[in-house]
């Protein structure tokens, strides 16, 4: 049966969805989950308790901020303000109606499925994090200390507990970031669907503001978490007092925070990606290709699992992903800033160390203004979108970029001005401008290769007219080609920023220029200086996708579906562009983390470690193992989606065969069965690739350390790990670019055909495009996004485990 339904079928559907409300409630009741016990307890508490808790928290922040630095106090104030604005956005979105009962029933099923999986998945992740925390504690109890830490009288037990506390806090905050992303998406989707019945612009505005709430909370929590840790350690350890640790050494104590965030983000992205794409592939292959029914048709048993997957894979995982990206960048930049300040013997190093926190505080301000710049139309009854939704989002991004340039320039003058090099702040401001331009280039390049308004995607759609094979070939070719421009942009950015930093006038005690690496750090900060708005655009995508699914399942008029289809297509592009942005930021952040790793090894060993010689066989082998890790990880992630999708396909086929009344609306599909299959399989399948990523760098470092001891090659373990990081970063960036862009292009080629090109829905070209989209699903939503988490986690885990790779 094709996608167009006759009048009898539509009447049957209306009877099933509107006239049999109780039966429908019974259908979805099997998907419902009781709220987590912690949530139940929180809901029972009196509101006055929360007011008291908030008041105590504010006073505590003001106290530790005043005891540490006025800059920290400024950061706390900005983060608090952004939290209040985010609460306003949430209240605005939640005040919107949920539409008719059939819409809210479907939304409730999606919400219950997403929250149930989240609770189970993060329960598994928390247990693994707890085990790893004990391992870290054991390692740090017997690890080496830096000379500065020994001089400050810090005991190994103190350092061990500090690192474990940082790790657990980073893991907890990353989990909360993921939950926030999912919490808002499962409540905003139905409100976008309802708004689409009235006005296209209102639907767009609801989706943007819902995404903005999540983005501001995630970015604000990242900055607040690092600032609270820094200020707390500053106060508790009496930093910068006689015979105690200096501020320049303090950022090294924060590395556990970045590792905890990366650890949770990797497993969240893996598990969520496997879930969403296995359900999507299963639903498309049987529903669209074999049965010829529309996407998100209520007759498809896998459709609820697919919609749940959009929330746990795209929203929850992306929130955790961006959280760890910003955390890793802040901590690595703080380490490099402290190292440079120490080498230059700056009287007040606080500006160079705390600069990343201020940059991301201004990110909250400019992103909030960018979100607020997107407003409703003057005619709320207008059904049509008078201008391209992507153009509306781009205008907001342009406002954010312009303000980010001004804020970045002011931040560098405020914090990076020093009498030793009066013009250094201007050089670093230019480094930030390089980063901002790089971010814009990445967004534009990703949009060019994934938006069906441009030729590359249209060529993939054209190739679908000659069959499934030519569609696959065209998509693979486009993905491979799409790696060229981003790599050129990254290369120019790194070299330019390094040169600007090196010529800033800052010199070490020997008179050598020493600002190059910090220049690249500032460029990375510039690239992430609009992260709040970029995450808003990313969250827009799955919210719009879910809204379209709710409209289809509740059988709203075609005019409503046209609005959500357009928003969904724009959402596909924004998701692809933000993935490109994430890869670019991961590339620059990984370069910073690599430099921070070399600085840390130098601090622990007391031996300068500034170069990595790949002519040393063991170092070259470490590099090969790093590249191999990327390919093996990608293979296991894609294979996990394939195996899980096979189970879904078999189940959907079984239901169609054994219950023929499903196709005539006389029987209801068993949605809960598909949700259960995907949830259990994704939790099982995420373990192997995740364990590979965690264990590999530790094993390589320890093995080559033992080889170095046997062959009298000091630092061989650290050097081999450095080689692994270099090769894994390069391979991971290229592979992630290929996977993300090819997958996004295949998806939008399908959308382009569904808009009416080359025969439209149900044509042979459409079937070929669905095959390409199916291949691209694990590329763009499982393996690809997991890779840019992986390359940062490899760097953070080596920062934490560096003492293991050194001779005692």
């Amino acid at each position: 049966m094709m996608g167009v339904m006759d009048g009898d079928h539509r009447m049957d559907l209306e009877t099933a969805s509107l006239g049999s409300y109780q039966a429908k409630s019974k259908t979805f009741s099997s998907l419902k989950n009781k709220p987590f016990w912690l949530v139940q307890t929180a809901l029972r508490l009196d509101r006055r308790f929360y007011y008291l808790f908030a008041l105590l928290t504010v006073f505590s922040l003001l106290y530790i901020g005043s005891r540490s630095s006025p800059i920290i106090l400024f950061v706390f104030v900005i983060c608090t303000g952004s939290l209040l604005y985010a609460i306003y956005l949430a209240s605005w979105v939640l005040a919107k109606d949920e539409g008719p009962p059939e819409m809210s029933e479907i939304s409730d099923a999606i919400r219950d499925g997403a929250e149930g999986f989240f609770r189970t998945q993060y329960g598994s992740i928390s247990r693994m994090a707890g085990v790893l925390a004990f391992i870290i504690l054991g390692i740090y109890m017997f690890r080496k200390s830096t000379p500065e830490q020994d001089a400050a009288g810090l005991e190994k037990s103190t350092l061990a507990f500090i690192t474990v506390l940082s790790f657990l806090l980073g893991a907890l905050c990353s989990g909360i970031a993921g939950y926030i992303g999912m919490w808002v998406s499962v409540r905003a989707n139905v409100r976008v669907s309802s708004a689409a019945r009235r006005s296209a612009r209102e639907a767009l505005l609801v989706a943007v503001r819902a995404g903005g709430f999540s983005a501001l909370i995630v970015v604000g929590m990242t900055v607040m978490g690092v600032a609270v840790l820094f200020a707390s350690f500053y106060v508790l350890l009496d930093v910068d007092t006689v015979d105690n640790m200096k501020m320049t050494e303090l950022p090294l104590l924060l590395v556990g925070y970045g590792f905890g965030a990366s650890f949770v983000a990797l497993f969240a992205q893996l598990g969520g990606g496997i879930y969403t794409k296995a359900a999507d592939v299963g639903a498309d292959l049987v529903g669209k290709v074999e049965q010829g029914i529309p996407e998100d048709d209520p007759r498809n048993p896998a459709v609820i699992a697919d919609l749940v997957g959009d929330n746990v894979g795209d929203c929850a995982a992306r929130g955790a992903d961006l959280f760890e990206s910003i955390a890793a960048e802040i901590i690595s930049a703080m380490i490099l800033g402290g190292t440079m300040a120490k080498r230059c013997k700056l009287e007040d190093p606080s500006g160079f160390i705390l600069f990343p926190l201020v940059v991301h505080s201004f990110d909250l301000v400019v992103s909030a203004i960018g979100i607020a710049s997107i407003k409703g139309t003057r005619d709320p009854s207008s059904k049509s979108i008078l201008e391209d939704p992507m153009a509306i989002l781009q205008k907001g991004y342009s406002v954010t970029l312009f303000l980010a340039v001004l804020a970045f320039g002011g931040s560098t003058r405020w914090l990076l001005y020093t009498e030793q090099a009066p013009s250094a702040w201007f050089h670093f401001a230019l480094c930030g401008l390089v980063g901002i331009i790089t971010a814009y280039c990445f967004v534009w390049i990703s949009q060019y290769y994934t938006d069906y308004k441009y030729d590359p995607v249209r060529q993939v759609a054209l190739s679908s007219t000659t069959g499934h094979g030519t569609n696959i070939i065209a998509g693979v070719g486009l993905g491979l080609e799409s790696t060229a421009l981003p790599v050129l942009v990254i290369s120019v950015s790194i070299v330019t920023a390094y040169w600007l930093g090196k010529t800033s006038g800052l010199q070490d005690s020997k008179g050598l220029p020493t600002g190059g690496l910090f220049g690249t750090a500032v460029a990375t900060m510039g690239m992430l200086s609009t992260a709040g708005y970029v995450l808003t655009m990313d969250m827009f995508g799955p919210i719009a996708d879910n809204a379209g699914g709710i409209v289809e399942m509740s059988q709203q008029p075609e005019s409503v579906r046209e609005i959500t289809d357009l928003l969904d297509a724009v959402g596909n592009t924004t998701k692809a562009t933000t993935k490109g942005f994430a890869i670019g930021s991961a590339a620059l952040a990984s370069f910073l983390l690599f430099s921070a790793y070399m600085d840390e090894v130098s601090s622990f060993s007391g031996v300068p470690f500034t170069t990595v010689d790949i002519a040393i066989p063991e170092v070259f082998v470490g590099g090969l193992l790093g590249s191999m890790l990327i390919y093996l990880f990608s293979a296991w992630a894609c294979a996990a989606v394939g195996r899980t999708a096979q189970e879904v396909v078999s189940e959907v086929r079984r239901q169609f065969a054994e219950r023929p009344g499903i196709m005539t609306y006389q029987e209801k599909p068993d949605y809960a069965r598909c949700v259960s299959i995907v949830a259990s399989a994704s939790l099982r399948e995420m373990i192997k690739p995740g364990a590979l990523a965690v264990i590999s760098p530790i094993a390589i470092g320890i093995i080559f350390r033992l080889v170095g001891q046997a062959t009298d090659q000091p630092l061989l373990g650290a050097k081999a790990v450095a080689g692994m990081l270099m090769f894994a970063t390069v391979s991971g960036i290229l592979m992630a670019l290929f996977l993300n862009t090819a997958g996004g292009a295949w998806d939008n080629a399908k959308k382009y055909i569904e808009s009416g090109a080359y025969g439209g829905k149900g044509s042979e070209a459409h079937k070929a495009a669905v095959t390409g989209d199916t291949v691209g699903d694990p590329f763009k939503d499982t393996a690809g996004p997991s890779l840019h988490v992986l390359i940062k986690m490899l760097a953070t885990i080596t920062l934490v485990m560096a003492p293991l790779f050194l001779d005692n």
Side-chain angles (χ1 to χ4, degrees):
M1 178 181 292
M2 304 309 290
V4 180
M5 297 179 292
D6 57 28
D8 291 338
H9 285 165
R10 184 170 294 278
M11 186 178 298
D12 289 337
L13 180 61
E14 289 173 353
T15 301
S17 60
L18 296 174
S20 303
Y21 183 80
Q22 292 181 343
K24 188 172 185 181
S25 300
K26 185 177 179 180
T27 300
F28 291 126
S29 63
S30 58
L31 294 170
K32 293 185 178 296
N33 294 277
K34 292 183 179 179
F36 187 44
W37 67 267
L38 193 60
V39 176
Q40 293 180 14
T41 303
L43 292 175
R44 294 192 191 104
L45 294 176
D46 190 271
R47 183 177 296 181
R48 287 172 293 184
F49 170 80
Y50 292 106
Y51 290 147
L52 179 61
F53 178 75
L55 191 62
L56 290 175
T57 301
V58 170
F59 277 118
S60 299
L61 293 176
L62 291 176
Y63 172 74
I64 63 171
S66 62
R67 287 283 307 276
S68 56
S69 168
I71 300 172
I72 293 289
L73 196 59
F74 171 81
V75 170
F76 286 158
V77 170
I78 295 295
C79 289
T80 303
S82 70
L83 173 63
L84 294 176
Y85 182 66
I87 292 173
Y88 160 74
L89 292 178
S91 61
W92 186 90
V93 170
L94 295 177
K96 296 292 181 180
D97 68 281
E98 296 186 0
E102 59 270 20
M103 275 189 175
S104 58
E105 278 291 325
I106 298 166
S107 173
D108 288 345
I110 295 169
R111 183 177 64 202
D112 289 331
E115 291 181 345
F117 175 75
F118 183 92
R119 183 166 62 248
T120 306
Q121 181 193 28
Y122 275 75
S124 300
I125 295 173
S126 63
R127 287 190 291 272
M128 291 187 289
V131 172
L132 187 55
F134 278 107
I135 294 173
I136 295 173
L137 181 64
I139 291 171
Y140 269 64
M141 291 295 287
F142 302 99
R143 64 164 230 171
K144 296 178 63 174
S145 302
T146 66
E148 291 81 5
Q149 291 169 351
D150 290 334
L154 286 178
E155 298 180 358
K156 290 183 179 181
S157 59
T158 303
L159 294 173
F161 281 107
I162 283 175
T163 304
V164 170
L165 174 65
S166 300
F167 171 79
L168 291 176
L169 182 61
L172 175 65
C173 291
S174 184
I176 293 173
Y179 181 76
I180 289 170
M182 184 205 67
W183 185 90
V184 68
S185 68
V186 296
R187 287 163 176 78
N189 50 18
V190 68
R191 290 169 169 84
V192 174
S193 302
S194 179
R197 297 180 305 140
R198 299 185 293 273
S199 163
R201 190 63 175 261
E202 183 185 350
L204 172 72
L205 193 59
V206 173
V208 168
R209 292 195 170 185
F213 162 76
S214 177
L216 294 177
I217 292 291
V218 169
V219 177
M221 192 167 59
T222 312
V223 178
M224 185 76 82
V226 177
V228 167
L229 265 186
F230 182 92
S232 300
F233 292 159
Y234 187 95
V235 173
L236 293 174
L237 299 177
D238 289 327
V239 173
D240 279 345
T241 58
V242 179
D243 295 330
N244 281 316
M245 178 181 284
K246 301 302 179 185
M247 181 185 283
T248 53
E249 299 296 322
L250 191 53
L252 280 175
L253 301 181
L254 306 179
V255 294
Y257 186 84
F259 178 36
S262 298
F263 179 82
V264 170
L266 179 66
F267 281 97
Q269 184 65 70
L270 268 174
I274 293 169
Y275 187 114
T276 182
K277 290 303 107 180
D280 195 4
V281 169
D284 284 354
L285 284 180
V286 183
K288 283 186 175 182
V289 177
E290 296 181 8
Q291 299 295 330
I293 58 179
E295 185 174 5
D296 301 326
D297 192 290
R299 292 170 290 179
N300 194 325
V303 69
I304 291 291
D306 183 13
L307 295 175
V308 169
D310 289 335
N311 295 287
V312 298
D314 287 333
C315 294
R318 197 74 71 249
D321 177 10
L322 193 67
F323 177 91
E324 68 90 21
S325 292
I326 298 174
E329 177 261 329
I330 289 176
I331 293 169
S332 57
M334 291 173 78
I335 292 173
L336 292 176
T339 301
M340 189 188 69
K342 183 168 60 176
R343 288 175 181 169
C344 297
K345 297 183 178 179
L346 299 177
E347 292 184 7
D348 182 12
S350 61
F352 287 85
I353 295 173
L354 300 178
F355 180 66
L357 294 174
V358 173
V359 168
H360 287 293
S361 297
F362 280 120
D363 171 19
L364 291 168
V365 175
V366 301
S367 296
I369 295 173
I371 295 166
S373 69
I374 299 176
K375 299 179 180 179
T377 180
R378 292 182 178 178
D379 182 9
S381 63
S382 174
K383 283 278 186 179
S384 62
I385 296 181
L386 300 180
E387 51 184 320
D388 181 11
M390 193 67 198
I392 297 172
L393 294 176
Q394 289 283 15
K395 285 181 180 178
Y397 186 48
S398 298
V399 170
T400 306
L401 278 175
F402 174 74
L403 294 176
V405 171
L406 298 180
F408 209 96
S411 301
T412 51
R413 181 62 181 83
W414 172 28
L415 297 173
L416 302 184
Y417 178 82
T418 173
E419 294 292 342
Q420 293 179 225
S423 63
W425 73 270
F426 183 70
H427 282 246
F428 291 129
L430 293 178
C431 290
L433 183 61
V434 168
I436 293 172
I437 293 172
T438 301
Y440 181 80
C441 290
F442 260 85
V443 170
W444 184 86
I445 291 168
S446 298
Q447 183 179 349
Y448 173 73
Y449 278 110
T450 56
D451 194 329
Y452 63 60
K453 291 188 298 184
Y454 302 105
D455 188 61
V457 173
R458 295 196 174 198
Q459 288 298 318
V460 175
L462 178 62
S463 70
S464 303
T465 60
T466 52
H468 301 252
T470 49
N471 171 277
I472 299 299
I473 293 170
V476 170
L478 182 147
L480 293 172
E481 177 189 321
S482 69
T483 62
L485 285 178
V487 168
L488 291 174
V489 170
I490 291 174
S491 302
V492 172
S493 300
I494 291 176
V495 172
T496 303
Y498 187 88
W499 179 82
L500 285 170
K502 191 174 182 179
T503 58
S504 64
L506 289 170
Q507 297 178 343
D508 61 16
S509 57
K510 298 179 181 178
L512 299 175
T514 186
L517 283 177
F518 190 71
T520 61
V522 175
T524 308
M525 289 179 246
M527 187 169 187
L528 285 169
S529 63
T530 56
Y533 191 86
V534 171
L535 181 59
T536 299
M537 291 198 297
D538 187 75
M539 291 292 182
F540 171 89
I543 291 172
D545 192 358
N546 258 214
I550 292 172
V551 167
E552 180 72 42
M553 288 195 71
S554 60
Q555 293 300 295
Q556 298 300 309
E558 188 65 25
S559 59
V560 180
R561 181 68 197 188
E562 287 176 0
I563 291 173
T564 55
D565 277 348
L566 180 57
L567 295 180
D568 184 17
V570 171
N572 283 334
T573 303
T574 60
K575 286 190 290 184
T577 55
T578 49
K579 286 170 189 170
F581 172 88
I583 295 169
S585 65
L588 293 179
S590 296
F591 181 73
L592 295 189
L593 289 165
F594 179 74
S595 302
Y597 167 73
M598 298 179 74
D599 280 347
E600 186 179 18
V601 170
S602 298
S603 297
F604 279 116
S605 64
V607 178
F609 184 41
T610 56
T611 59
V612 179
D613 186 359
I614 62 171
I616 299 173
E618 292 87 352
V619 177
F620 184 71
V621 169
L624 283 179
L625 292 174
S627 294
M628 177 271 290
L629 171 62
I630 296 299
Y631 284 83
L632 185 59
F633 177 89
S634 301
W636 285 359
C638 290
V641 174
R643 284 190 297 270
T644 308
Q646 288 175 7
E647 296 183 43
V648 178
V649 167
S650 298
E651 173 61 23
V652 175
R653 285 174 176 168
R654 182 192 67 78
Q655 291 196 35
F656 278 130
E658 296 179 3
R659 305 167 73 177
I662 290 176
M663 289 299 294
T664 59
Y665 303 99
Q666 295 173 346
E667 293 183 81
K668 290 186 177 295
D670 185 357
Y671 301 115
R673 176 61 182 160
C674 288
V675 170
S676 176
I677 288 173
V678 179
S680 59
S682 58
L683 291 173
R684 180 181 68 249
E685 295 285 357
M686 76 178 183
I687 301 298
K688 187 168 74 169
L692 173 73
V694 174
I695 294 172
S696 294
I698 300 175
I700 290 172
I702 293 175
I703 290 171
F704 281 104
R705 169 192 167 183
L706 296 176
V707 173
Q709 289 175 343
T711 59
D712 194 25
Q713 298 183 72
L715 296 186
L716 184 62
K719 291 177 181 178
V721 169
M724 182 214 69
L725 283 176
M726 291 174 63
F727 282 62
T729 299
V730 172
S731 300
I733 291 167
L734 293 172
M735 178 65 80
L737 285 168
F738 161 68
L739 294 174
N740 284 334
T741 310
W746 271 316
D747 194 350
N748 270 348
K750 178 198 68 176
K751 294 289 185 185
Y752 180 58
I753 293 175
E754 289 176 347
S755 69
Y758 306 120
K761 295 181 180 180
S763 64
E764 292 302 314
H766 182 236
K767 292 180 180 179
V770 170
T771 300
D773 180 37
T774 302
V775 174
D777 276 339
F779 280 25
K780 68 182 174 65
D781 287 322
T782 307
S786 297
L787 278 178
H788 54 76
V789 181
L790 171 64
I791 60 178
K792 284 173 289 187
M793 198 203 71
L794 290 175
T796 55
I797 194 173
T798 52
L799 275 173
V800 173
M801 300 297 182
L804 283 178
F805 314 144
L806 304 174
D807 298 336
N808 292 324

